[in-house]
Each structure stands twice: as structure tokens, then as C-alpha cells.
Amino acid sequence: MTLLDQHVLPRLRDYWLRLALRRVHYADRADRLDRLYCIEDPWHMGSAKEQARFTWTNALIAARFGRPHSLLEIGCGEGHQSRHLATLCGQLYGLDVSARAVKRARRRCPDGRFAAGDPFAFGFADAPAVFDLAAACEMIYYVKDVPRFIARLSELGRACLVTYYDGQAPALDPYFANLPETGRDSFRHDGVLWHAVWW
């Protein structure tokens, strides 16, 4: 491994991530999120921390929802979590605002069906009108109108699941407070705390 690989490239990746994510929280900035995928795995989804989160999410889904026949993953990115979700459903559908990411997701998870679009305007040729489970993991803080997104998620899924990291909990928890019949859980790994809400 060269000095460039060890020191310079990770710094460049981190700089790119910070630059691409400027002013994207709660902003509907699909253009910025798509630009982020000019590099592969910008979120470090291959890390042990993210892999542990995927395992936790799968265990939660299996315990709370059994084996959904159809599962819609909103914000599928490059398909890292999709590979995990595909193991516990009959058919996985993945949606992301980034066409670059969706192209990689198709390669990473060839049994899934993927489309580029947003939750309010997308289409799959063979998708059910309502999915058994609609999941939005680690993406809700990029949505401008959170109540509208939650309402749309409720239209898309017979059951719904949202996960988010603790740093965004003060902004997001109030939106879930008035949902009827919600379930909640949390998970900590390597100093990071995530929350899950389902209804």
C-alpha cells in the first residue's frame, strides 16, 4: 500500500463527502446526493459498523414482520444493505435518487429490482400496488418535508420501518410521536446509536 493509498485518498474521500453533503439535510437535494456517488461507497458501507447495523436491521425485520413477500427499500444507494434485505423477503425493490448508485446496486444485488427516482415519482413494471414492507434506512434526514414523506411511506407499505442515527433524533422523534401503534428499538455499535421506528 502506498503513502497515497494510506493517507491522501482517505482524506480526499472525506473531503468529497463533506463537500457533497453541504446543505443537503432536510433539503431534497437529489443533485448533490447523486454527485456524491462519483466515488464508490462514499458512506463506507463496507465498514464493520455499517455491517453490524445491517445485521441488526435484518434481525428486527425478521422478528417484527416475519418474511415479507415484497419489500421496498427507499434510499437503497449502491445496494450494500439491499444484499442483506434480499435474504429475508420474497422480492426486494430498491429505489434511490441517484442513477449512479442504482446502477451499482443492480450489480451488487442482481436478484433485486431497482429504479432511480424519488418516493413520490417512480415506477417498477411488476411492483405491487402496496408493498408488504416499505423501509427507509438512514435516509429520512435528506427529505425536506418529513411529514409528507412519512405519509407517503404509509401509502406505499402495509407496514413501514424507518431507521436513523441518534444525532438526528431530536429533529425526527417528534414526527413519529403521534403515529398510532408504533414500535421502537435502538442499537449501539462502536460508539454510534441508531433508532428504529415501525408502524
Side-chain angles (χ1 to χ4, degrees):
M1 187 175 273
T2 69
L3 182 66
L4 180 68
D5 293 332
Q6 289 178 329
H7 300 287
V8 177
L9 289 180
R11 287 184 184 153
L12 286 173
R13 287 174 63 87
D14 290 343
Y15 175 75
W16 178 251
L17 184 64
R18 285 194 308 273
L19 182 66
L21 291 179
R22 288 178 67 190
R23 295 186 288 276
V24 298
H25 282 88
Y26 307 105
D28 284 341
R29 291 299 306 268
D31 58 330
R32 289 265 181 140
L33 293 170
D34 183 53
R35 192 176 309 141
L36 181 67
Y37 289 104
C38 286
I39 60 172
E40 292 208 26
D41 194 14
W43 306 105
H44 303 287
M45 292 295 183
S47 69
K49 175 179 67 175
E50 295 297 341
Q51 295 298 311
R53 180 176 64 80
F54 299 160
T55 299
W56 164 67
T57 305
N58 267 30
L60 191 152
I61 290 171
R64 300 296 175 185
F65 306 106
R67 182 175 173 80
H69 177 69
S70 59
L71 193 160
L72 173 64
E73 179 191 13
I74 299 176
C76 66
E78 297 170 309
H80 292 272
Q81 187 162 12
S82 308
R83 285 193 315 188
H84 293 260
L85 295 172
T87 66
L88 48 73
C89 66
Q91 182 61 61
L92 176 73
Y93 297 84
L95 176 67
D96 201 274
V97 295
S98 171
R100 287 183 182 109
V102 165
K103 186 176 179 181
R104 293 176 195 149
R106 288 183 180 127
R107 286 195 310 260
R108 183 166 277 113
C109 185
D111 292 334
R113 296 191 175 106
F114 296 93
D118 69 59
F120 300 96
F122 71 94
F124 292 96
D126 63 343
V130 179
F131 297 88
D132 293 327
L133 177 62
C137 298
E138 307 309 307
M139 61 73 60
I140 195 167
Y141 15 84
Y142 302 112
V143 172
K144 186 174 185 176
D145 188 340
V146 174
R148 181 175 176 241
F149 177 79
I150 292 171
R152 177 62 172 153
L153 199 63
S154 297
E155 293 171 358
L156 291 170
R158 288 183 185 85
C160 302
L161 169 72
V162 173
T163 69
Y164 51 98
Y165 74 98
D166 191 57
Q168 294 297 323
L172 292 171
D173 284 347
Y175 293 117
F176 298 110
N178 296 323
L179 285 176
E181 300 181 33
T182 58
R184 293 176 180 264
D185 195 7
S186 58
F187 171 71
R188 184 182 297 276
H189 180 82
D190 198 21
V192 180
L193 179 66
W194 288 279
H195 301 283
V197 180
W198 61 90
W199 63 95

